[in-house]
Amino acid sequence: MGSKENLSILLAFLGYSIFGFSFMFSKEALSITTPLVLLAVRFTLAFMILNLLVLTGKFKVNFKGKPIKWLLLLGILQPVAYFLCETFGVDLLATSLVGVIVSLVPVMSLIFSGFILREKVRAFQIFCVLCSVAGVVLTTLNQGSGSFNWLGFFLIFGAVCAAGLFNVFSRKISNVFSAFERTYLMFAVGCVTFIGIALIQSHGNMQELVVKPLTDLNFWVSILYLSAASSVGAFLMVNYSVTHLDIARATIFANITTIISILAGVLILKEGFTLNQIIGSLIIIASVYGVNRPVRQTNPA
């Protein structure tokens, strides 16, 4: 494999690992404010960080003469559609079921990739992707299923579809827009959209929903991680990885977030580590390796 491929694999792993810790920080921030206000603050701060990076002169954006409509579509898919569907969906479904449905992101990415990018996928890669889903299912066993809600199911599945399409379109336009340009306009769309929605939601209650959280130190610790690391850092890594890796290899790392979330709970929140979680995590790791393992070249006779 080339150096860019190796770097992309590393960045995909790091990016999705950062996403794995974001659930813990989101939980802390949501104890202080509402989901929509959190999203507005998160992506506003992330967009500000990107602009500061531009001002350093080391990161550049140039949209002149380029098909901006594709970037706008990317921003609508991620973060807007994904986070809106996820935010409202998690309130209607048990956490364990949400985790299982979200684990289908690599599967949906492969399906969309086949139709849109016409990328060829080896049968063994498909097998490994399905095994990774099975690994996620295993980690959620015995956690209590809770009540099922069809609206919640369709919202979370909508988030999965949005994430799958985002991965595919990010790769599709990677020859026109850099990873930084893609991330920059994504967050510009997210910033404007979530600020508008949060203002509507907090109308008449700005002190409680907006001002009060900003005076809380724990909120700032969480929001700095979610904005700087989980938004700017992780999305830059993911957008870079899909530039140089096919969809199967790049998106299989999405299920690594399950392992990281479990480890965060065990190491930081002192939660238990069950046998199912250990076996499921090992299956996910083996699946990620299986999808990304080098293909042996057969010598012609």
Side-chain angles (χ1 to χ4, degrees), residues 80-253:
V80 176
Y82 177 85
F83 279 99
L84 285 179
C85 287
E86 183 188 63
T87 296
F88 291 104
V90 294
D91 283 337
L92 300 173
L93 285 181
T95 303
S96 58
L97 185 55
V98 171
V100 171
I101 300 172
V102 171
S103 72
L104 295 174
V105 168
V107 177
M108 295 307 299
S109 298
L110 280 183
I111 293 173
F112 291 136
S113 174
F115 284 108
I116 299 172
L117 301 178
R118 305 293 182 183
E119 287 187 348
K120 294 182 179 181
V121 183
R122 290 179 285 120
F124 183 71
Q125 288 181 312
I126 296 175
F127 172 74
C128 288
V129 169
L130 295 177
C131 282
S132 76
V133 175
V136 173
V137 172
L138 189 58
T139 64
T140 63
L141 291 179
N142 302 322
Q143 291 187 19
S145 59
S147 59
F148 182 83
N149 182 287
W150 278 107
L151 177 58
F153 170 80
F154 284 118
L155 284 171
I156 298 300
F157 188 70
V160 169
C161 291
L165 286 170
F166 158 74
N167 289 325
V168 171
F169 282 115
S170 182
R171 178 163 174 77
K172 181 180 176 67
I173 64 176
S174 62
N175 61 332
V176 180
F177 299 98
S178 69
F180 189 85
E181 288 171 337
R182 278 173 275 159
T183 308
Y184 185 89
L185 202 60
M186 279 169 54
F187 288 178
V189 174
C191 173
V192 172
T193 303
F194 290 130
I195 284 179
I197 296 174
L199 287 174
I200 293 173
Q201 183 199 42
S202 62
H203 179 68
N205 197 20
M206 293 287 289
Q207 175 67 29
E208 187 67 24
L209 292 179
V210 180
V211 178
K212 186 177 178 181
L214 296 180
T215 62
D216 191 302
L217 178 60
N218 289 330
F219 179 80
W220 276 107
V221 171
S222 297
I223 205 66
L224 283 173
Y225 181 88
L226 293 171
S227 298
S230 189
S231 293
V232 174
F235 272 110
L236 278 174
M237 293 176 187
V238 170
N239 277 330
Y240 181 90
S241 67
V242 297
T243 302
H244 302 288
L245 297 176
D246 58 60
I247 290 298
R249 297 171 67 196
T251 61
I252 187 64
F253 287 94

